[in-house]
């Protein structure tokens, strides 16, 4: 009988540990792209952050086949010299393109196999790696971009992020999970790394024990998006600080050993234990405790933050008196080497060289004396990275899309940049934050399910032609009133999206009742009404 896709991938991973193929990758750099066996090229390479490029340049027979390369950056934490290195690599080997991702990674593109050894060596010299950035393993562990400087944080969870990263990434015990495994550990009160849509979310809590303050974590398990979005389930336990990494490891082991999940690639995420196999919070807790060998402590009362648009853009005070952080808006994460170099220089010159990447694809410079912040902002704005950015520029997120992703239905990055510029032109001075998320296929890397307005790439008819278009989702959001965006059935050719969004936003503002957010208005507006808004209101900008 012919192997299924899942059986094939499982066999390939079993036959040779994907993390073990580094010597092979270095050899292929000598022997050339065509010497790479399919089983390495299309499965094991991913464990080293390498995907063949989706623009037609990643296939055999091309004169110079190309890869996308993802650099893993735990917690999005970088130092200036590291960012300089990434900028140099993007310049020398990546045709001047880099993308900040919504998991706090940086992706390079146009990479040739011949250049991979140099790139790996350069990354290694500054303590960075691509290992575990893609593939069936623990992906980049995310954390609050303001860890250690946020004035209201409960704790700086960075040591746990680094410890969990060291334990799980590259560890042969966890190198063959059923599929990707996404973890976030955050010490902040705002959940800006979206624990609700991670496989494991540890969010800081505090309690009094014997008159002493103790910091620990609430535990959320089984969140995820793609075609079957699922909010993580709150596990009834208080995870003490010293238990956090072991709990993440226990859940990774549960996931690894869930053979039932290995039968279909599209159902191989932890959330399907809850969605299809009858697991609930109590069952997950029992399994975790069985792995740990002792019971966890009882949970604190639930505490979910209100949904705030926390994109970290702008100049804001830190917990350290007299210091601020300066958050710079990229446009959908796409950056140039010149911009990255300049950010690194600004961080070194005005701060202490610390830089953070955010889940909204923006960049933060830490530890700037408040009297110098305006100079940082001015110089960054001149580079196209404003700290004072429109809601559209700061809150629009986009996945990789057809330019580099093989699974994409439509192009997203250039569209996203154009959409931002168009919305700024159509709605100058728009005073409200609006989360716009653009995603190129149902895999939802651009997280359209959790946006005020989500755009999912589809092909649509425009006259007699099939063109790139987007289906509009509305009312998604997390926090205290969570819900996935509603598929409206409104499908719009890409070139008409700004006009449609302008009409929706104008009308939503006009229809708003006291105390309502944009999301509230969109949630209570029917698809038919939205359709009428889009089709009947005159646009001012056309
Ligand atoms: Fe590619 Fe689809 Fe993910 Fe976008 S959502 S990066 S198109 S797989």
């Amino acid at each position: 009988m012919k192997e299924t896709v899942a059986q094939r991938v499982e066999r390939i991973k079993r036959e040779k540990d994907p993390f073990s193929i580094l010597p092979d990758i270095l050899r292929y750099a000598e022997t050339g792209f065509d010497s790479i066996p399919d089983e390495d090229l299309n499965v094991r390479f991913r464990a080293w952050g390498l995907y063949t490029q989706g623009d037609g340049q990643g296939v055999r027979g091309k004169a110079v086949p190309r890869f996308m390369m993802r650099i893993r950056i735990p917690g999005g934490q970088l130092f200036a010299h590291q960012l300089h290195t990434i900028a140099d690599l993007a310049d020398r080997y990546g045709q001047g393109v880099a993308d900040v991702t919504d998991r706090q990674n940086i992706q390079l593109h146009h990479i040739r196999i011949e250049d991979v050894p140099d790139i790996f060596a350069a990354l290694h010299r500054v303590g960075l790696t691509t290992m575990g950035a893609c593939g069936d393993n623990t992906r980049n562990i995310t954390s609050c971009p303001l860890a250690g400087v946020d004035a209201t944080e409960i704790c700086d969870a960075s040591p746990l992020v680094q410890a969990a990263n060291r334990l799980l990434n590259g560890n042969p015990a966890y190198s063959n999970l059923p599929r990707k495994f996404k973890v976030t550990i955050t010490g902040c009160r705002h959940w800006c790394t979206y624990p609700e849509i991670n496989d494991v979310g540890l969010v800081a809590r505090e309690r009094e024990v014997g008159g002493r303050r103790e910091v620990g974590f609430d535990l959320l398990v089984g969140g995820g998006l793609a075609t079957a979005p699922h909010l993580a389930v709150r596990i009834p336990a208080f995870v003490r600080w010293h238990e956090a990494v072991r709990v993440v490891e226990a859940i990774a082991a549960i996931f690894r050993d869930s053979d039932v999940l290995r039968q279909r690639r599209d159902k191989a995420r932890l959330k399907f234990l809850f969605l299809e196999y009858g697991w609930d919070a109590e069952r997950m807790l029992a399994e975790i405790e069985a792995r740990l060998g002792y019971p966890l402590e009882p949970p604190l009362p639930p505490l979910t933050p209100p949904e705030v648009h926390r994109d970290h853009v702008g100049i804001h005070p830190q917990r350290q008196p007299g210091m601020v952080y300066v958050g710079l808006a990229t446009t959908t994460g796409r950056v140039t080497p010149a911009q990255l170099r300049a950010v690194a220089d600004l961080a070194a010159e005005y701060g202490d060289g610390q830089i953070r990447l955010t889940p909204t694809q923006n960049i933060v410079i830490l530890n700037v004396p408040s009297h110098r912040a305006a100079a940082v902002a001015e110089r960054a704005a001149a580079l196209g990275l404003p700290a004072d950015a429109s809601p559209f520029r700061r809150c629009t997120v986009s996945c990789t899309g057809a330019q580099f992703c093989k699974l994409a239905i439509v192009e997203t990055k250039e569209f996203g940049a154009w959409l931002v510029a168009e919305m700024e032109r159509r709605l100058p001075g728009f005073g409200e934050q609006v989360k716009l998320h653009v995603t190129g296929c149902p895999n939802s890397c651009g997280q359209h399910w959790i946006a005020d307005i989500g755009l999912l790439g589809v092909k649509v008819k425009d006259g007699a032609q099939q063109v790139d278009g987007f289906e509009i989702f509305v009312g998604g959001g997390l926090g205290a009133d969570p819900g996935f965006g509603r598929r409206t059935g409104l499908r719009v050719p890409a070139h008409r999206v700004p006009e449609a969004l302008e009409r929706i936003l104008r009308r939503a503002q006009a229809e708003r009742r006291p105390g309502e957010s944009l999301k509230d208005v969109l949630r209570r507006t029917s698809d038919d009404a939205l359709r009428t808004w889009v089709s009947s209101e005159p646009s001012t900008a056309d």
Side-chain angles (χ1 to χ4, degrees), residues 471-513:
E471 178 162 3
I472 298 177
F473 288 60
V474 296
L478 298 175
D481 184 20
F484 294 117
R486 189 179 84 243
R487 170 173 244 147
T488 64
L490 269 168
R491 292 175 162 224
V492 184
H495 67 92
R496 305 209 59 166
V497 168
E499 175 191 343
L501 297 195
E502 180 195 348
R503 292 174 180 193
I504 289 172
L505 290 174
R506 283 188 189 280
R507 189 67 183 263
Q509 286 198 317
E511 300 272 332
R512 183 194 311 254
R513 297 172 191 150

Side-chain angles (χ1 to χ4, degrees), residues 115-131:
D115 297 327
V116 168
D118 281 356
I119 298 173
F120 280 1
L123 291 174
H124 182 71
R125 280 195 293 274
V126 294
L128 293 171
T129 184
T130 66
M131 183 174 65

Side-chain angles (χ1 to χ4, degrees), residues 51 68 70 107 180 226 398-412 438-448 456-457:
Y51 282 96
M68 183 207 87
R70 187 176 296 152
Q107 287 177 182
K180 63 184 91 169
S398 146
C399 78
T400 303
Q403 192 179 2
F404 300 118
C405 173
K406 280 182 295 193
L407 303 175
I409 296 169
V410 303
E411 196 284 320
T412 54
V438 183
T439 201
C441 84
N443 284 313
S444 187
C445 305
Q447 305 168 331
H448 64 285
L456 169 64

Side-chain angles (χ1 to χ4, degrees), residues 387-468:
D388 181 15
S390 75
F392 305 111
R393 197 164 295 274
R394 59 197 289 162
C395 295
T396 300
V397 166
S398 146
C399 78
T400 303
Q403 192 179 2
F404 300 118
C405 173
K406 280 182 295 193
L407 303 175
I409 296 169
V410 303
E411 196 284 320
T412 54
K413 282 288 185 199
E414 287 180 7
F415 166 80
W418 173 74
L419 175 65
V420 166
E422 269 294 296
M423 296 313 295
E424 288 175 340
R425 181 179 75 82
R426 288 167 178 270
L427 295 170
F430 187 79
E432 187 176 0
Q433 296 216 353
V434 49
K435 272 166 64 181
L436 273 177
H437 284 223
V438 183
T439 201
C441 84
N443 284 313
S444 187
C445 305
Q447 305 168 331
H448 64 285
W449 292 109
I450 62 164
D452 294 313
I453 300 180
L455 298 173
L456 169 64
V458 290
K459 290 293 183 193
V460 294
K461 278 245 169 177
D462 190 25
Q465 280 192 322
Q466 285 274 358
V467 298
D468 278 10

